[in-house]
Amino acid sequence: MRKSITLFFLIAIIGLATSQSSIVEKLKASLHKTSVSRDSVKTVKDTVRQEPHLKLKIFKKDANASYYHDKFNGRRTASGDKFDNNSYTAAHRKLPFGTKLKVTNQASGKSIIVEVTDRGPFSRGREIDLTRRGFMEIAKNKGIGIMVVTIEEVID
């Protein structure tokens, strides 16, 4: 009696394993058949929106970018907006407020879209200041404070 029960459970487990593997094989096959363009796919790790319809104009290559210190949280920016280090904004010396920029880290290839809401940076050799959140999303090494980026203007 005990052997027949064990044999029954063994057969049931083997049957489940083979049916699960065939289901997995069918799912893999269906995934390979579908063709999805890279621009329309957004993975969980990819926090940058892929927007293929954006028109971009290169503003500056090999620019140095840094990020705001947390002490500026809640203060007013030069445009009058309240600064939030968790948003996607930036500071630039000359670009008009409201200008949208695509900032791409040249080391990692990651990019974000930010809006100019403040003036700065006032450190020599730096072109743009990003919010901490935006900076960390595209940073290859989270311990750095400066990175080399390409800045592109988003044209409406």
Side-chain angles (χ1 to χ4, degrees):
M1 175 81 177
R2 189 161 243 226
K3 286 184 181 180
S4 63
I5 292 174
T6 307
L7 183 61
F8 173 76
F9 281 117
L10 185 62
I11 291 171
I13 291 172
I14 292 172
L16 285 175
T18 56
S19 67
Q20 285 179 349
S21 66
S22 65
I23 291 171
V24 170
E25 295 298 325
K26 288 178 184 176
L27 285 174
K28 284 182 182 178
S30 68
L31 286 175
H32 289 294
K33 288 179 185 175
T34 58
S35 63
V36 179
S37 69
R38 174 79 171 118
D39 292 335
S40 66
V41 175
K42 182 181 182 233
T43 62
V44 175
K45 289 184 180 181
D46 185 17
T47 57
V48 180
R49 294 179 295 158
Q50 297 292 331
E51 298 186 24
H53 63 277
L54 288 179
K55 294 181 182 177
L56 302 171
K57 176 182 157 189
I58 292 184
F59 180 75
K60 185 158 187 181
K61 287 187 178 184
D62 301 325
N64 288 324
S66 56
Y67 62 92
Y68 282 93
H69 192 275
D70 285 330
K71 71 180 181 181
F72 295 109
N73 251 345
R75 294 188 185 179
R76 294 281 171 199
T77 61
S79 66
D81 296 337
K82 192 174 181 180
F83 177 71
D84 179 17
N85 231 349
N86 290 318
S87 63
Y88 294 96
T89 59
H92 194 273
R93 286 187 209 99
K94 298 176 183 173
L95 289 172
F97 297 134
T99 304
K100 299 227 189 260
L101 301 172
K102 180 179 178 186
V103 181
T104 306
N105 182 351
Q106 292 181 353
S108 69
K110 294 180 181 178
S111 62
I112 57 169
I113 296 175
V114 295
E115 182 179 349
V116 176
T117 60
D118 203 3
R119 292 291 169 231
F122 299 110
S123 299
R124 179 177 268 181
R126 301 214 185 120
E127 184 73 27
I128 192 168
D129 263 344
L130 302 171
T131 56
R132 184 179 191 92
R133 180 178 185 180
F135 186 92
M136 292 303 168
E137 279 195 20
I138 63 174
K140 188 173 184 178
N141 177 1
K142 304 297 184 201
I144 61 171
I146 300 173
M147 71 174 106
V148 180
V149 296
T150 300
I151 303 171
E152 298 172 283
E153 190 175 348
V154 177
I155 301 168
D156 292 327

Short mmCIF file of all heavy atoms in Angstrom, two decimals, residues 64 93 121-126:
data_model
loop_
_atom_site.label_atom_id
_atom_site.label_comp_id
_atom_site.label_asym_id
_atom_site.label_seq_id
_atom_site.Cartn_x
_atom_site.Cartn_y
_atom_site.Cartn_z
N ASN A 64 30.73 68.94 -18.09
CA ASN A 64 30.80 68.41 -16.73
C ASN A 64 29.51 68.72 -15.99
O ASN A 64 29.05 69.86 -15.99
CB ASN A 64 31.98 69.01 -15.97
CG ASN A 64 33.30 68.48 -16.45
OD1 ASN A 64 33.40 67.32 -16.81
ND2 ASN A 64 34.31 69.32 -16.47
N ARG A 93 23.58 78.24 -16.60
CA ARG A 93 23.87 79.67 -16.52
C ARG A 93 23.10 80.50 -17.54
O ARG A 93 22.68 81.61 -17.24
CB ARG A 93 25.36 79.91 -16.71
CG ARG A 93 26.18 79.52 -15.52
CD ARG A 93 27.64 79.95 -15.70
NE ARG A 93 28.49 79.05 -14.98
CZ ARG A 93 29.14 78.04 -15.51
NH1 ARG A 93 29.07 77.80 -16.79
NH2 ARG A 93 29.89 77.26 -14.77
N PRO A 121 25.66 76.03 -12.62
CA PRO A 121 26.49 76.02 -11.42
C PRO A 121 27.52 77.15 -11.46
O PRO A 121 27.88 77.63 -12.52
CB PRO A 121 27.18 74.66 -11.48
CG PRO A 121 27.22 74.32 -12.93
CD PRO A 121 26.01 74.96 -13.53
N PHE A 122 27.94 77.53 -10.29
CA PHE A 122 28.88 78.63 -10.20
C PHE A 122 30.29 78.16 -9.91
O PHE A 122 31.15 78.95 -9.53
CB PHE A 122 28.38 79.65 -9.16
CG PHE A 122 27.05 80.22 -9.55
CD1 PHE A 122 25.91 79.89 -8.85
CD2 PHE A 122 26.94 81.04 -10.66
CE1 PHE A 122 24.68 80.39 -9.22
CE2 PHE A 122 25.70 81.56 -11.04
CZ PHE A 122 24.58 81.24 -10.32
N SER A 123 30.54 76.89 -10.12
CA SER A 123 31.89 76.33 -10.01
C SER A 123 32.51 76.33 -11.40
O SER A 123 31.88 75.95 -12.38
CB SER A 123 31.84 74.89 -9.49
OG SER A 123 31.27 74.85 -8.22
N ARG A 124 33.75 76.74 -11.47
CA ARG A 124 34.45 76.81 -12.75
C ARG A 124 34.57 75.41 -13.36
O ARG A 124 34.88 74.45 -12.68
CB ARG A 124 35.83 77.39 -12.53
CG ARG A 124 36.64 77.48 -13.80
CD ARG A 124 37.96 78.12 -13.55
NE ARG A 124 37.76 79.54 -13.79
CZ ARG A 124 38.70 80.45 -13.69
NH1 ARG A 124 39.90 80.10 -13.30
NH2 ARG A 124 38.45 81.70 -13.95
N GLY A 125 34.28 75.33 -14.65
CA GLY A 125 34.43 74.08 -15.37
C GLY A 125 33.19 73.21 -15.39
O GLY A 125 33.16 72.18 -16.05
N ARG A 126 32.14 73.60 -14.69
CA ARG A 126 30.91 72.82 -14.70
C ARG A 126 29.87 73.52 -15.55
O ARG A 126 29.70 74.72 -15.50
CB ARG A 126 30.37 72.63 -13.28
CG ARG A 126 31.40 71.94 -12.43
CD ARG A 126 30.80 71.03 -11.40
NE ARG A 126 31.87 70.52 -10.57
CZ ARG A 126 31.94 70.70 -9.28
NH1 ARG A 126 30.98 71.34 -8.66
NH2 ARG A 126 32.95 70.21 -8.60
#
